[in-house]
Amino acid sequence: MGFCPKAETGHMNPQSTMRAMVLDEARRPLREASVPVPDVGPDQVLVRVHVCGVCRTDLHILDGELSRPKLPLVLGHQIVGTVVARGERVKAPALDERVGIPWLGWTDGDCKYCRSGRENLCDHAKFTGYDLDGGFSEFTVADSRFCFPIPPGYPDLQAAPLLCAGLIGYRSLVMTREADPLGVYGFGAAAHIVTQVARHQGRRVYAFTRPGDATAQRFARDMGADWAGDTTESGPAELEAAIIFAPAGELVPLALRRVGKGGVVVCAGIHMTDIPSFPYEILWGERTVRSVANLTRRDGLEFLALAPEVPVRTEVESFPLAQANEALDRLRRGLVRGAAVLVVDEGVT
Ligand SMILES: [Zn+2]
Ligand SMILES: [Zn+2]
């Protein structure tokens, strides 16, 4: 194994290669391959991956809609695993500790955004499963300062979706302040978590899905939504805010028409199709349209402390690592109930 010589290791198999699902170029299926176990840098931990969530961002990278991934690339940024080796400068996490590795993989700590508490906007940020290899593999390395402890009550499978769907959903929810009722557009992994948190805060949640998607609407009601219907419907009352999780630009004017004066429409995804033009009058009245980009470590710590209090329960559809392409395809077709998660290590919870 290619450790830096001063790395500290636990009791792990001295293997030098690992299975991984590799993206060679956009719009080609991931390829199952045997690749070297990565080297551990001085600030990094080597993590044996238990499970890794599949996110819509992975699809956007695969489909070439996010155009600058490192190639070849191992996707995946909702990683739950165990620390099996640590670089010489690592203070935490400990060997054998269970950790979560999110999308924000590294920041310079020095640009104007980092220095003002906005590391999610860092000019030189590196993202897991995009600029850095992610978790669709048996092992991965991560900067120890960007790993999170996983709340103890969560099995690995249920914890994985907290790490992006949960974190980005939470950041989006914070952007809506106390809005009640809250509209959510697109009911997948993030919305099913946000709905539980918003209900816990005593807010009403209205879920808007693709017209006629009775399955998603039933799922939304099961997760606590007060009302679920088509995006073309107006819902039982005017919204104070809306969060759009679906990557469909045409939802922006639709949502704007549903929010009252002073309301905000939060676009939570990293990619969206073009937003059609709309009359100024639906923005008038101090309505706001805004995006949410990435996460800060503070978001992560806040949300992972809140999740067990709610308690957030995640609905998961699991797939073996080798079926990553099938998982991505089901996600693209809107067939996953809740979150898709790859099981990398069959022996985990
Ligand atoms: Zn920075
Ligand atoms: Zn994600």
Side-chain angles (χ1 to χ4, degrees), residues 56 60 183-191 208-210 231 242-252 255 265-275:
R56 184 161 288 279
H60 292 314
V184 294
Y185 284 76
F187 209 89
F208 297 85
T209 77
R210 271 188 277 226
T231 49
I243 307 176
I244 301 179
F245 292 111
E250 69 267 21
L251 294 175
V252 172
V265 173
V266 180
C267 303
I270 195 169
H271 170 82
M272 195 177 235
T273 55
D274 287 355
I275 300 169

Side-chain angles (χ1 to χ4, degrees), residues 56-331:
R56 184 161 288 279
T57 298
D58 300 316
L59 258 188
H60 292 314
I61 298 168
L62 178 69
D63 291 346
E65 289 158 341
L66 296 180
S67 54
R68 286 180 290 103
K70 124 189 181 7
L71 288 175
L73 172 70
V74 178
L75 288 168
H77 56 267
Q78 304 186 88
I79 305 167
V80 179
T82 304
V83 175
V84 293
R86 314 197 308 165
E88 63 196 86
R89 291 204 293 258
V90 173
K91 296 194 173 63
L95 280 178
D96 298 326
E97 190 170 332
R98 188 170 70 140
V99 293
I101 304 171
W103 171 245
L104 187 71
W106 186 86
T107 57
D108 58 16
D110 194 38
C111 70
K112 67 176 180 181
Y113 299 105
C114 286
R115 281 189 273 108
S116 57
R118 296 178 291 167
E119 64 181 359
N120 60 309
L121 304 177
C122 176
D123 281 332
H124 303 109
K126 291 193 168 86
F127 299 106
T128 311
Y130 189 57
D131 304 302
L132 308 164
D133 281 331
F136 291 7
S137 57
E138 289 179 287
F139 293 89
T140 193
V141 286
D143 190 302
S144 57
R145 298 162 296 186
F146 291 82
C147 298
F148 294 120
I150 299 287
Y154 282 90
D156 296 329
L157 269 175
Q158 275 67 40
L162 302 177
L163 291 164
C164 185
L167 289 189
I168 301 289
Y170 173 72
R171 188 173 172 84
S172 309
L173 185 64
V174 170
M175 300 302 178
T176 70
R177 300 170 188 267
E178 323 250 288
D180 175 28
L182 171 72
V184 294
Y185 284 76
F187 209 89
H192 97 291
I193 295 173
V194 157
T195 296
Q196 297 174 57
V197 178
R199 292 291 298 125
H200 172 73
Q201 295 169 334
R203 312 199 218 177
R204 289 163 292 168
V205 176
Y206 301 160
F208 297 85
T209 77
R210 271 188 277 226
D213 192 345
T215 309
Q217 289 168 14
R218 199 175 321 115
F219 180 43
R221 284 189 288 266
D222 288 350
M223 292 295 110
D226 298 89
W227 176 90
D230 298 351
T231 49
T232 49
E233 295 179 65
S234 54
E238 185 177 77
L239 304 173
E240 287 194 352
I243 307 176
I244 301 179
F245 292 111
E250 69 267 21
L251 294 175
V252 172
L254 267 180
L256 263 177
R257 288 180 192 280
R258 303 285 173 251
V259 301
K261 286 183 283 189
V264 59
V265 173
V266 180
C267 303
I270 195 169
H271 170 82
M272 195 177 235
T273 55
D274 287 355
I275 300 169
S277 71
F278 53 82
Y280 180 58
E281 67 176 277
I282 66 172
L283 185 63
W284 173 250
E286 303 200 339
R287 293 172 179 86
T288 310
V289 177
R290 66 166 303 160
S291 63
V292 156
N294 315 315
L295 66 136
T296 64
R297 282 172 282 182
R298 196 173 144 192
D299 296 326
L301 295 172
E302 280 179 17
F303 174 68
L304 292 170
L306 176 62
E309 274 175 37
V310 172
V312 171
R313 299 188 197 287
T314 56
E315 291 267 332
V316 164
E317 209 173 295
S318 67
F319 302 82
L321 175 63
Q323 284 179 22
N325 288 307
E326 288 77 359
L328 285 158
D329 188 53
R330 277 184 67 78
L331 184 62

